């Protein structure tokens, strides 16, 4: 892999950069993160679990190891009584990501996200947010990251604070918006306009992440691609959102119960649907194709293979022709079972 994110993006022969996120949801499913606060305490409590998930994403073809510092900011750690672990958690997350990235030549991204502290009507919160980003990213730079991802931004104003902090640190910035609203950020900017502003302010990569599945996120992509000259990133959640329920937060079970955030299982996209998304995103000119909350390594491998890559985990990609019931030389004694399987 190239030595910088900008070199990698410029290498047209390699195709899109493949990202893999969703660490918080996946580690919650594995029993290492508490749903609700979703604070990545696992970084300090069970670092091997984080290391293993990074490794699984790396084997599946991810080009970037994202330090697990999503929700590892002062506001969230205060909620769970671990504000004193703030620096240790952020530094450890980068170290773990760097360790695994070195095993496969991947890049390492620092990470900040929406803080829940920003209020566009309260100027004082701007400095609060800036201070949180500055301390998190200051530690990330000291530990060694190649670029920074600022993601799940509900407000353009908060995203611009991240751009300022990242720019001051001299690192490339990938800044993506959370398309929770139908067509604009919470502070009233259309997604296309907001991406144009982010690019003009110095973000090298702009785009969307989280909230929407492929079906409802892809229609927003063409406008962004036409509006900016810089690289664009798209990282949907692997859930079957649609026109009726365009975001994972609006998905409902058959009895009308809210599925988000821990009852989304029945809405999960298959690996084939995520592979199709990756191919479609590439055709739309997306430079950084990824996946967000709900991702599993099998999704990432399928996306990598859809982009024409053979990755370490491809050794174990499905070979259904070797399945006892699907092989060409199906035994006569087994053939009868296919009738019941088709009922």
């Amino acid at each position: 892999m190239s030595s910088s994110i900008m070199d990698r993006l410029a290498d047209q022969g390699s195709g899109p950069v493949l990202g893999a996120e969703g660490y918080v949801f996946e580690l919650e499913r594995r029993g290492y993160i508490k749903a609700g606060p979703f604070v990545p305490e696992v970084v300090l409590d069970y670092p091997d679990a984080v290391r293993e998930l990074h490794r699984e994403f790396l084997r599946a073809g991810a080009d970037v190891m994202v330090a697990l510092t999503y929700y590892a900011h002062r506001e969230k750690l205060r909620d769970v009584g671990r504000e004193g672990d703030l620096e240790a958690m952020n530094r450890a997350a980068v170290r773990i990501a760097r360790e695994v990235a070195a095993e496969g030549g991947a890049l390492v991204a620092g990470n900040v996200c929406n803080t829940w502290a920003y209020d566009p009507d309260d100027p004082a919160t701007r400095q609060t947010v800036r201070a949180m980003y500055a301390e998190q990213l200051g530690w990330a730079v000291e530990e060694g990251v190649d670029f920074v991802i600022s993601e799940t931004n509900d407000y353009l104003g908060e995203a611009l604070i991240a751009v300022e902090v990242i720019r001051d640190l001299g690192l490339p910035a990938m800044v993506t918006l959370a398309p929770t609203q139908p067509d604009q950020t919470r502070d009233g900017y259309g997604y296309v306009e907001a991406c144009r502003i982010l690019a003009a302010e110095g973000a090298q990569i702009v785009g969307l992440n989280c909230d929407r599945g492929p079906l409802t996120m892809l229609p927003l992509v063409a406008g962004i691609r036409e509006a900016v000259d810089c690289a664009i990133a798209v990282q949907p959640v692997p859930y079957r959102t649609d026109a009726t329920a365009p975001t994972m937060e609006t998905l409902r079970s058959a009895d009308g119960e809210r599925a988000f955030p821990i009852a989304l299982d029945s809405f999960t996209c298959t690996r084939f649907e995520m592979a199709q998304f990756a191919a479609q995103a590439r055709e739309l000119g997306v430079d950084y194709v990824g996946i967000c909350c709900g991702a599993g390594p099998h999704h990432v491998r399928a996306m990598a293979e859809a982009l024409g890559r053979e990755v370490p985990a491809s050794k174990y990609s499905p070979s259904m022709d070797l399945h006892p019931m699907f092989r060409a030389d199906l035994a006569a004694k087994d053939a009868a079972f296919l009738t019941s399987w088709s009922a």
Side-chain angles (χ1 to χ4, degrees):
M1 163 164 278
S2 303
S3 59
S4 76
I5 184 64
M6 302 313 296
D7 288 343
R8 179 63 179 77
L9 289 167
D11 184 1
Q12 297 297 318
S14 298
V17 173
L18 181 61
E21 297 195 43
Y23 290 90
V24 170
F25 268 35
E26 179 63 15
L27 287 165
E28 188 279 329
R29 285 193 294 246
R30 298 183 184 194
Y32 293 107
I33 283 179
K34 181 185 288 293
F38 288 107
V39 174
E41 300 174 83
V42 60
V43 169
L44 295 179
D45 296 347
Y46 295 96
D48 282 346
V50 181
R51 191 173 286 111
E52 175 59 24
L53 184 54
H54 276 306
R55 191 168 286 123
E56 290 175 23
F57 281 152
L58 182 70
R59 291 185 63 255
D63 292 322
V64 179
M65 297 294 101
V66 183
L68 183 50
T69 52
Y70 190 99
Y71 278 176
H73 55 68
R74 189 171 294 279
E75 188 91 355
K76 293 293 289 187
L77 265 66
R78 186 181 297 126
D79 287 345
V80 296
R82 298 195 68 164
E83 192 174 357
D85 290 330
L86 181 66
E87 180 176 353
M89 189 177 296
N90 277 269
R91 288 187 180 277
V94 177
R95 290 172 188 165
I96 293 169
R98 282 182 57 82
E99 175 190 335
V100 178
E103 296 174 7
L107 296 174
V108 179
N111 182 258
V112 291
C113 65
N114 54 319
T115 64
W116 298 98
Y118 181 76
D119 181 349
D121 297 323
D122 182 358
T125 63
R126 178 180 172 82
Q127 185 53 41
T128 299
V129 171
R130 193 178 215 290
M132 284 196 281
Y133 287 163
E135 62 186 359
Q136 276 192 281
L137 295 180
W139 295 320
V141 169
E142 289 177 5
E143 294 296 334
V145 294
D146 298 300
F147 70 108
V148 174
I149 298 174
S150 165
E151 62 186 354
T152 325
N153 288 289
D154 295 302
Y155 297 97
L156 173 62
E158 189 167 40
L160 287 170
I161 297 171
V163 172
E164 292 172 8
V165 174
I166 299 166
R167 187 178 60 211
D168 289 350
L169 291 168
L171 288 172
M174 172 172 146
V175 185
T176 52
L177 305 164
T180 313
Q181 308 300 306
D183 55 14
Q184 63 182 20
T185 64
R186 290 191 182 275
D187 45 356
Y189 294 86
Y191 294 125
V192 172
E193 179 186 8
C195 285
R196 186 186 296 115
I197 293 170
L198 289 167
E201 291 300 315
Q204 286 82 3
I205 311 167
V206 301
L208 306 171
N209 83 285
C210 207
D211 292 303
R212 296 181 183 234
L215 188 65
T216 54
M217 186 174 279
L218 280 173
L220 302 176
V221 172
I224 296 172
R225 178 67 287 170
E226 293 174 5
V228 300
D229 295 325
C230 68
I232 66 169
V234 180
Q235 299 200 94
V237 295
Y239 297 114
R240 296 191 187 102
T241 56
D242 56 27
T244 302
T247 67
M248 64 178 172
E249 293 88 351
T250 54
L251 291 168
R252 296 291 188 274
S253 66
D255 57 5
E257 294 295 317
R258 187 187 302 277
F260 178 82
I262 54 174
L264 288 162
D265 307 63
S266 64
F267 298 99
T268 304
C269 293
T270 67
R271 65 189 72 193
F272 307 106
E273 290 168 316
M274 292 312 300
Q276 182 182 41
F277 155 73
Q280 291 172 323
R282 177 180 57 189
E283 291 304 308
L284 287 170
V286 176
D287 305 281
Y288 190 112
V289 176
I291 185 171
C292 204
C293 301
H298 65 300
H299 290 125
V300 180
R301 178 180 64 186
M303 292 167 68
E305 291 174 347
L307 295 173
R309 302 173 188 175
E310 183 174 349
V311 299
S314 294
K315 177 180 179 181
Y316 302 106
S317 290
S319 294
M320 300 310 294
D321 57 315
L322 298 179
H323 189 284
M325 296 296 288
F326 300 136
R327 59 193 305 149
D329 57 344
L330 176 65
K333 68 179 180 63
D334 295 327
F337 287 102
L338 285 179
T339 302
S340 62
W341 284 22
S342 302

